[in-house]
Amino acid sequence: MRLLAGLRDAERSLTKHAASRIPPGVGKVLSAVEETAESTKLWCGAAAAMAWLGGWRGRKAAVAGLGAVVMAQLISNGLCKQLAGRPRPPKEWLPHDEAEDRPDSSSFPSGHTAAAVAFTAAVAPTWPAAGAACAVPAAMVALERVQSGAHYPSDVAAGAAIGLASAWLTRHAPRLMRRHWLLR
């Protein structure tokens, strides 16, 4: 019980800190990036640009990124949110009016963060420069989800973990399935 109370206190402190210490101008930029990432538009656009400009490597990175996004969304939004049912952070923690524009779905985990991290982590092994470029908006999305009061820090951490796992599975699943089927 004490551990849970400590976690709740830490989350309250981190959420309040992020919501009040980020300058309004930076908050607007974070919101604009998050809005672009809504419904995975940013990652689909990045994949299209990679496929168009990056030749074979760009197409391979785009396919890996989109595959990881699909997997991350299925896990975070299709499974975890349905099981968790966690309410969003209390509006009293937020010194701004962004809390009025939050979804009604479960707070846990952050699907936006899961998609952002999945895309970035799946692209990076094939095209490191593109992965590094994607890391900037991915980090901005994760920060915005806490700053806006849409998620607790642990929701964002869980979303990032789901994104990393999705990228890893997307990269390794074909080889693992081939090995499994060949050993039968």
Side-chain angles (χ1 to χ4, degrees):
M1 271 316 208
R2 211 169 172 176
L3 179 63
L4 290 176
L7 178 61
R8 176 122 171 115
D9 289 345
E11 292 215 286
R12 180 178 55 244
S13 176
L14 287 169
T15 302
K16 284 181 167 184
H17 186 77
S20 64
R21 298 288 172 100
I22 293 177
V26 174
K28 288 184 192 288
V29 171
L30 293 174
S31 292
V33 172
E34 184 277 327
E35 182 82 20
T36 305
E38 185 77 34
S39 302
T40 67
K41 293 182 297 240
L42 177 60
W43 314 119
C44 290
M50 285 179 209
W52 184 45
L53 300 171
W56 180 85
R57 180 170 64 170
R59 288 187 294 279
K60 185 177 177 184
V63 167
L66 292 176
V69 165
V70 168
M71 186 174 296
Q73 292 293 289
L74 287 172
I75 294 168
S76 63
N77 296 333
L79 178 64
C80 294
K81 280 186 184 286
Q82 307 308 314
L83 296 174
R86 184 181 196 186
R88 302 285 172 167
K91 293 179 184 178
E92 306 82 61
W93 292 5
L94 309 169
H96 49 68
D97 61 354
E98 286 186 58
E100 302 302 324
D101 188 29
R102 300 186 300 178
D104 294 330
S105 62
S106 174
S107 180
F108 184 85
S110 170
H112 285 77
T113 304
V117 171
F119 187 83
T120 301
V123 164
T126 302
W127 196 356
C134 290
V136 173
M140 293 172 78
V141 166
L143 179 59
E144 189 280 338
R145 301 316 286 159
V146 176
Q147 181 272 331
S148 68
H151 290 284
Y152 295 94
S154 61
D155 299 338
V156 170
I162 289 168
L164 289 172
S166 298
W168 187 89
L169 283 170
T170 300
R171 186 165 176 83
H172 294 92
R175 188 187 55 179
L176 295 172
M177 289 190 317
R178 276 193 311 270
R179 186 185 318 157
H180 176 73
W181 287 329
L182 290 175
L183 294 176
R184 285 187 158 210

